[in-house]
Amino acid sequence: MYPLDVLISLQLKLAGHAYSNMGNKWLSAAYNLYTYVLSSPWFMRIAWWGCVGRSWWLLADHVKLYPGANAFWVYTVPFTVLRALITSGLRFVRRSFEELLEAYGHALAFSTSACARLGFLGDILLIPVTLVWMGWPLYLPYRAASRPLYLPAITAVCMCVGWGRGIIKENWVLHRPPRDARAPQR
């Protein structure tokens, strides 16, 4: 209920109390007209918009007195808070996704460096490791039996192949023992 409605209903109650004490025919007719006008929904709307117009008028005067002040700051605070929450949530999701991808890359980097230390056996073991690391996205459309999922899965596999080649090249070279160290000593 609006504050204006409460004031008007209070005024009508007071007028009803005064009407019960009236005996004049003209006063009772004036009271009936008064209650009809005040209880009209159109009067309520006009009175409410009158209050809104007066508040806008006062707000315009306030802005003139304080140049540079943002008079609508109170109304924009919820949207500013909502924007900050959404932005921080998206930042959190992006950071989590980046950390997940970093951990995924470190898994291949660790496997590659471990295989590089094993020599020929590591060369053999690296093949299934890289096939699983790069090709797992193809398992999802196979498992779901959904042909439309193959296109994004193939795209993901191509991205994994490009990314994985760089990781293997970087970690195989850095952690493989030099050729002279592997040669038998005479």
Side-chain angles (χ1 to χ4, degrees):
M1 183 174 264
Y2 295 111
L4 190 62
D5 294 341
V6 173
L7 290 175
I8 290 174
S9 64
L10 179 65
Q11 191 175 8
L12 285 175
K13 285 180 185 176
L14 290 174
H17 181 65
Y19 175 69
S20 63
N21 296 335
M22 285 190 245
N24 192 345
K25 185 167 110 177
W26 288 102
L27 287 175
S28 67
Y31 171 74
N32 288 336
L33 179 67
Y34 178 72
T35 56
Y36 175 75
V37 168
L38 282 181
S39 62
S40 165
W42 285 104
F43 175 76
M44 296 281 197
R45 289 183 185 120
I46 291 169
W48 183 253
W49 282 108
C51 291
V52 169
R54 177 67 178 150
S55 68
W56 284 349
W57 183 273
L58 292 173
L59 184 64
D61 285 344
H62 177 75
V63 171
K64 287 178 193 172
L65 290 173
Y66 303 102
N70 185 3
F72 297 106
W73 176 80
V74 171
Y75 303 112
T76 60
V77 167
F79 298 110
T80 306
V81 169
L82 184 64
R83 179 180 174 200
L85 286 173
I86 289 172
T87 304
S88 66
L90 289 175
R91 255 191 233 125
F92 174 74
V93 168
R94 188 189 77 210
R95 197 176 318 120
S96 300
F97 185 69
E98 287 173 354
E99 288 176 3
L100 181 70
L101 285 178
E102 187 178 341
Y104 185 60
H106 282 304
L108 182 63
F110 177 76
S111 300
T112 303
S113 65
C115 288
R117 287 187 209 121
L118 293 176
F120 181 71
L121 180 62
D123 290 342
I124 302 293
L125 286 176
L126 188 61
I127 293 171
V129 168
T130 56
L131 284 176
V132 169
W133 192 89
M134 295 177 188
W136 72 266
L138 287 175
Y139 180 72
L140 297 176
Y142 172 75
R143 181 73 175 150
S146 173
R147 288 187 180 194
L149 286 179
Y150 275 107
L151 186 61
I154 290 172
T155 306
V157 166
C158 290
M159 290 173 65
C160 285
V161 166
W163 184 28
R165 283 184 65 199
I167 291 174
I168 290 172
K169 184 177 181 182
E170 188 177 299
N171 288 290
W172 189 266
V173 174
L174 289 178
H175 298 292
R176 191 164 191 165
R179 287 201 178 262
D180 356 338
R182 285 186 297 169
Q185 302 265 334
R186 291 186 188 175

